[in-house]
Amino acid sequence: MRIAELLKARVVPVEFKSFPDGESYLRFLGDVEGDRVCIVQTACPPQDTNLLRALLMADTAVELGAEEVVLVVPYLAYARQDKRFLEGETVSLKTVLKLFRATAVKKLITVDAHNPKVLEEAGIEAQNLSAIPLLAEHLRKRGLRGALSLSLGKKALDMAVKGGEVLGGGHACLITRRDLLTGRVVVEGALEARARDVVIFDDIISTGGTMVEAVKAVVKQGARRVLAACVHPLLIRDAMEMILRSGAEQIVGTDTVPSPVSFVSVAPLIADALAQSG
Ligand code: R5P
């Protein structure tokens, strides 16, 4: 709704229902024939239902004669299962992208996909937006100017770089390793964090295990204040309490996933991308 307001675009409501057996029912309550249609459906829990809803809406809009359909999935579920880590596993992201491709959508837009590289091989025009500057801006306005921006793992260093550009306190990364069978996370790496304010950026906080270990490591290295910032705050079970108990002053997330910490809206980011794509 917020995206439509920013773009001054017409909204076509879609009725959602669940049948008693759990199947989804969807119905467009307006005409889309000949229109350029943007469907916004995040894939937060329940991921499977929300992904299916996105697919049903995208396919139906094409069938109802939309001139072109852009699908916006702010949180792209299954993005972490982007390869076969253990023999016999599904490469779930690849399958999800194949399904999007089958709906004939013109373009897929998402926010901070876990591994944006995989999107390049999706066989569908895909745009990955980053909400890290928005998160950093939110924190800068709340007194974190000059804080050290931290990412978890070298692959995610880009997040720390983006955060650092806004907060102005430089960037660094910690190394994280997860045991594939137990899920336990180990965090390593020395930082110049003594008496500094530190913001730890991550794409997702799910169970909170990774962030808890990261916060503990930064606190141990003498940081003055530690804040946890993530784009997709899934915050499963007691993740939030655990992170705060481990020494983080605050958790800040975006509204790609509704949560008690979704203080930053990605609507302006998505509206801009849609406006620019014509
Ligand atoms: C991992 O590669 C991701 O970037 C996140 O760090 C991870 O998914 C967080 O999961 P959890 O909160 O369950 O540790």
Side-chain angles (χ1 to χ4, degrees), residues 165-220:
E165 281 165 3
V166 177
L167 294 174
H171 64 265
C173 84
L174 286 169
I175 304 302
T176 54
R177 275 187 294 111
R178 184 187 290 271
D179 184 306
L180 289 180
L181 295 175
T182 64
R184 226 185 106 66
V185 177
V186 180
V187 175
E188 294 160 349
L191 300 167
E192 297 290 320
R194 184 150 299 283
R196 300 272 322 260
D197 294 346
V198 178
V199 178
I200 307 172
F201 290 95
D202 206 351
D203 56 343
I204 301 168
I205 297 179
S206 179
T207 63
T210 309
M211 192 55 87
V212 163
E213 293 308 319
V215 171
K216 281 187 189 161
V218 175
V219 168
K220 210 166 153 191

Side-chain angles (χ1 to χ4, degrees), residues 135 138-139 205 227-231 233 250-254 261-264:
L135 283 168
H138 174 90
L139 292 166
I205 297 179
L227 283 90
C230 77
V231 180
Q250 205 194 345
I251 307 167
V252 177
T254 81
V261 305
S262 298
F263 302 122
V264 175

Side-chain angles (χ1 to χ4, degrees), residues 130-140 144-151 156-172 199-201 229:
S130 177
I132 298 295
L134 291 179
L135 283 168
E137 186 58 33
H138 174 90
L139 292 166
R140 194 180 61 85
L144 271 295
R145 186 192 289 273
L148 174 67
S149 297
L150 213 61
S151 70
L157 187 63
D158 194 38
M159 281 192 237
V161 172
K162 287 193 173 102
E165 281 165 3
V166 177
L167 294 174
H171 64 265
V199 178
I200 307 172
F201 290 95

Side-chain angles (χ1 to χ4, degrees), residues 34 47 53 55 57 64 106 128 134 214 221 250 259 277:
Q47 293 88 334
R53 283 180 171 187
L55 288 162
M57 283 190 283
L64 293 178
K106 181 179 171 258
N128 180 53
L134 291 179
Q221 296 191 35
Q250 205 194 345
S259 81
S277 64

